[in-house]
Amino acid sequence: MKNDGIINYEKRLIAFIDLLGFKNAVNKTADGTIEGYNIKNNIDKIMNFNEGVQKINENSANAQIVNAETNERQPLTKTKITFFSDSMIISMPVDDKYYEQFLTKIVMFSTEYAKQGFLVRGGMTFDKLCHTGNICYGPAMNKAYILESTVANYPRIVVDNKAVKELGEIGKKFIVADKMDNMYILDYLYSKKCVHANNKYKKEKQEKELKKILNDLTEIKNNVDKNITKHKDNERILIKYQWYKNYYNDTVKKVEKDFSQPENYLNSYLIK
């Protein structure tokens, strides 16, 4: 019997991520102001970043390496990435050898967007999905979208219990319970930092890495400070930045501890 009309779903991890304020920012680029010009530069950087990562990901999916343990050939990545408008979808099939890579890519995107002035909101789940090229649909897509649009509420990537269970021990390096409501979230600011801090670097290399991290945090801090001031009379938007302020400040204190800095040494990096 033919399987015509039957969708070939597969179980996949998926994250649906939205850039907050992107549409309004795009409109601002057309008003001829200096602010609009600066926003356009930031958007261009994001578009170039997305394009570059997409090409690398596609090349990695087509390239193969030999697994030293099994002697089998396998792709460098199993991740699929789709961008559209102000959103992105990133997914991958069941294979725990690639889960850390999957999470690290989301961390990388989210941190880079924050540096360019765009905070992210998203949802991550694990369920049946069809993700081919720019086409993505299925129960997992629906759930990830619902998590992003109706559950996350703040600039955070919510991770549901299905995804937490599937990610297992690897997920514990990246996922924490939000102290506000105990909802599982991808701790993308701290994940990026702790990966480097926990490496057994020589002192001079660790100092160099810390400097780079603090440069990233400074860029994010400046953007958040600016938007808190800009939206001080808009409670709907301000509450989102207030949540992010707390999240960011917690990250600074974690970095301070992980890199064995004196207590309060990084206080100048905190958002007041």
Side-chain angles (χ1 to χ4, degrees):
M1 181 181 295
K2 289 185 177 181
N3 288 329
D4 292 350
I6 297 178
I7 300 173
N8 293 319
Y9 284 128
E10 61 179 338
K11 285 291 192 75
R12 298 180 70 93
L13 284 163
I14 177 177
F16 176 81
I17 298 170
D18 186 60
L19 275 68
L20 299 179
F22 189 84
K23 290 185 178 70
N24 289 336
V26 169
N27 290 336
K28 193 72 176 176
T29 64
D31 65 8
T33 63
I34 294 177
E35 181 186 7
Y37 176 79
N38 291 334
I39 290 172
K40 181 183 182 302
N41 283 340
N42 290 340
I43 291 175
D44 286 344
K45 289 177 183 178
I46 287 176
M47 295 299 107
N48 290 334
F49 178 77
N50 288 352
E51 183 179 358
V53 174
Q54 181 76 293
K55 287 181 179 178
I56 292 172
N57 193 72
E58 290 173 356
N59 291 337
S60 297
N62 294 325
Q64 291 192 333
I65 57 173
V66 177
N67 187 306
E69 296 179 0
T70 65
N71 205 35
E72 295 178 348
R73 300 186 69 82
Q74 62 188 45
L76 289 174
T77 186
K78 291 189 176 181
T79 301
K80 290 184 179 179
I81 304 172
T82 298
F83 299 103
F84 56 96
S85 185
D86 57 347
S87 303
M88 69 170 289
I89 298 167
I90 179 167
S91 78
M92 70 159 293
V94 177
D95 194 333
D96 59 8
K97 295 189 297 297
Y98 294 87
Y99 285 172
E100 184 161 349
Q101 181 190 95
F102 170 77
L103 293 169
T104 299
K105 286 180 180 178
I106 301 173
V107 166
M108 177 181 66
F109 278 114
S110 302
T111 303
E112 182 62 25
Y113 295 157
K115 287 168 58 180
Q116 301 306 329
F118 294 97
L119 304 184
V120 299
R121 186 177 63 210
M124 185 187 302
T125 189
F126 175 71
D127 209 332
K128 293 179 180 179
L129 186 73
C130 178
H131 191 179
T132 304
N134 291 326
I135 299 173
C136 187
Y137 59 89
M141 176 66 203
N142 293 342
K143 182 59 182 295
Y145 175 76
I146 290 171
L147 288 170
E148 183 277 323
S149 59
T150 66
V151 178
N153 295 325
Y154 301 98
R156 58 184 181 173
I157 299 173
V158 172
V159 186
D160 75 1
N161 289 331
K162 287 184 177 180
V164 170
K165 182 178 179 181
E166 177 61 26
L167 289 165
E169 290 298 314
I170 295 171
K172 292 179 181 179
K173 296 171 60 177
F174 294 83
I175 298 168
V176 297
D178 190 331
K179 65 181 184 181
M180 182 184 69
D181 55 12
N182 289 320
M183 195 169 291
Y184 288 123
I185 62 171
L186 182 69
D187 192 6
Y188 68 82
L189 273 185
Y190 180 57
S191 298
K192 181 171 186 283
K193 317 314 171 195
C194 73
V195 166
H196 298 298
N198 291 337
N199 286 335
K200 295 180 180 178
Y201 285 160
K202 292 181 179 179
K203 184 177 180 181
E204 59 269 23
K205 193 168 185 179
Q206 192 177 56
E207 289 175 352
K208 183 178 180 180
E209 188 66 19
L210 177 59
K211 182 178 180 180
K212 181 180 183 301
I213 289 167
L214 294 178
N215 286 339
D216 285 353
L217 289 175
T218 298
E219 288 188 61
I220 295 171
K221 175 183 183 296
N222 291 340
N223 288 326
V224 175
D225 273 336
K226 180 176 64 178
N227 279 290
I228 286 176
T229 301
K230 179 179 180 180
H231 300 292
K232 60 184 175 64
D233 297 323
N234 188 328
E235 185 176 355
R236 182 182 66 83
I237 296 178
L238 185 62
I239 195 171
K240 293 179 173 61
Y241 280 101
Q242 292 292 355
W243 180 93
Y244 197 85
K245 169 186 171 180
N246 293 333
Y247 171 55
Y248 169 93
N249 285 343
D250 286 346
T251 300
V252 172
K253 302 310 289 186
K254 290 176 183 178
V255 170
E256 182 179 83
K257 181 179 178 181
D258 269 358
F259 281 88
S260 303
Q261 301 299 299
E263 187 176 0
N264 299 324
Y265 184 74
L266 299 182
N267 276 8
S268 63
Y269 292 90
L270 296 173
I271 299 173
K272 306 303 182 183

